[in-house]
């Protein structure tokens, strides 16, 4: 039979590893803990510090398995002012229940990303985390999220529906749904009122569409 090319057991840190199945485009992170902190040695394409950068166009599905606690900043994205598109084919993202934080600009510019499943223990979605994910149509914010940072979903131009399950006090920073002109509905599962930093939270018109508790 055919031989499947798989990159196995690549080390992110002393706690986290990953593999990429080059036939299916599946990438899986596994282990216990979080990756080493980003070194902040800034350049126009900061995601090229990661060992999987060279396989960027092959990756279609990304899974963070149970045990991984953080998606590091710039993991699959770059500085929003200098978007270096290297992950044009990521369609699905699944974040396990151990993960608590999605880093700044983690998936910035993943323009083919259509489905995101976020685990129940995530508390923070970083700034520009899903900036310019232009084919994403809906997103569910799980119950333990307490902070959505600025511009987290800015320019998600196909986004129509947001479901917020958070049962905690939830802070909306500025421009998180800016330029989401198709966004018509934000559903709140609980009666907890979000804390808005500015009226630019929704999108450029300042109109959040309808919101339902």
């Amino acid at each position: 039979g055919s031989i499947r090319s798989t990159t196995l057991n690549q080390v992110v840190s002393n706690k986290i590893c990953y593999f990429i199945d080059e036939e299916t485009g599946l990438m899986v992170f596994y282990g216990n803990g979080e990756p080493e902190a980003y070194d902040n040695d800034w350049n126009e394409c900061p995601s090229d510090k990661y060992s999987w950068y060279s396989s960027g166009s092959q990756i279609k599905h990304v899974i963070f398995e149970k045990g991984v606690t953080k998606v590091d900043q710039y993991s699959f994205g770059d500085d929003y002012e200098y978007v270096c598109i290297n992950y044009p084919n990521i369609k699905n993202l699944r974040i396990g229940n151990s993960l608590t934080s999605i880093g700044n600009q983690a998936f910035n510019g993943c323009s083919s990303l259509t489905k995101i499943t976020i685990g129940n223990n995530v508390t923070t979605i970083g700034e520009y985390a899903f900036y310019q994910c232009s084919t994403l149509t809906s997103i569910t914010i799980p119950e333990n999220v307490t902070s959505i940072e600025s511009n987290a979903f800015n320019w998600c131009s196909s986004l129509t529906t947001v479901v917020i399950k958070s049962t905690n006090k939830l802070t909306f920073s500025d421009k998180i749904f800016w330029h989401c002109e198709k966004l018509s509905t934000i559903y709140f599962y609980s009666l907890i009122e979000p804390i808005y930093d500015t009226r630019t939270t929704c999108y450029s018109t300042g109109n959040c569409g309808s919101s339902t508790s």
Side-chain angles (χ1 to χ4, degrees):
S2 61
I3 298 175
R4 175 173 294 185
S5 178
T6 304
T7 303
L8 284 173
N9 299 323
Q10 299 297 300
V11 177
V12 179
S13 69
N14 60 355
K15 299 178 180 179
I16 304 298
C17 298
Y18 71 88
F19 71 83
I20 300 171
D21 185 323
E22 295 176 0
E23 183 176 296
T24 64
L26 174 65
M27 181 178 190
V28 178
F29 290 86
Y30 61 97
N32 290 283
E34 64 180 58
E36 294 176 1
Y38 186 80
D39 60 15
N40 291 319
D41 182 16
W42 186 89
N43 61 72
E44 290 187 3
C45 297
S47 68
D48 66 6
K49 77 176 282 285
Y50 295 107
S51 57
W52 55 86
Y53 184 84
S54 61
S55 301
S57 62
Q58 298 174 321
I59 300 170
K60 298 178 181 179
H61 316 282
V62 179
I63 296 175
F64 290 85
E65 291 205 333
K66 183 178 179 181
V68 182
T69 59
K70 181 180 180 181
V71 181
D72 202 7
Q73 61 179 334
Y74 302 118
S75 290
F76 296 91
D78 286 294
D79 189 274
Y80 74 95
E81 292 183 318
Y82 302 94
V83 177
C84 307
I85 304 299
N86 196 52
Y87 303 96
N89 299 314
I90 295 178
K91 299 180 184 299
N92 300 304
L93 168 64
R94 191 174 79 204
I95 293 173
N97 286 332
S98 297
L99 197 137
T100 60
S101 175
I102 300 174
N104 297 344
Q105 306 193 59
F107 299 94
N108 173 17
C110 291
S111 58
S112 295
L113 187 58
T114 58
K115 184 177 181 180
I116 302 172
T117 303
I118 301 177
N120 289 331
N121 289 317
V122 169
T123 61
T124 302
I125 299 174
E127 61 181 30
Y128 294 94
F130 297 100
Y131 180 76
Q132 289 189 337
C133 292
S134 55
T135 58
L136 184 67
T137 59
S138 64
I139 184 69
T140 297
I141 308 299
E143 59 188 24
N144 289 310
V145 172
T146 58
S147 179
I148 304 177
E149 302 296 332
S150 65
N151 295 281
F153 298 95
N154 190 346
W155 279 112
C156 290
S157 54
S158 298
L159 190 65
T160 61
T161 304
V162 176
V163 178
I164 297 175
K165 293 185 174 181
S166 181
T167 56
N168 299 299
K169 276 290 186 181
L170 175 60
T171 299
F172 281 176
S173 297
D174 65 307
K175 301 180 182 178
I176 58 171
F177 298 122
W178 218 34
H179 296 112
C180 298
E181 283 82 4
K182 294 183 179 180
L183 179 59
S184 59
T185 306
I186 302 177
Y187 293 99
F188 294 94
Y189 267 42
S190 73
L191 298 177
I192 294 176
E193 184 177 354
I195 303 168
Y196 295 98
D197 283 1
T198 73
R199 285 183 60 84
T200 57
T201 293
C202 293
Y203 44 88
S204 56
T205 63
N207 175 11
C208 292
S210 62
S211 53
T212 305
S213 295

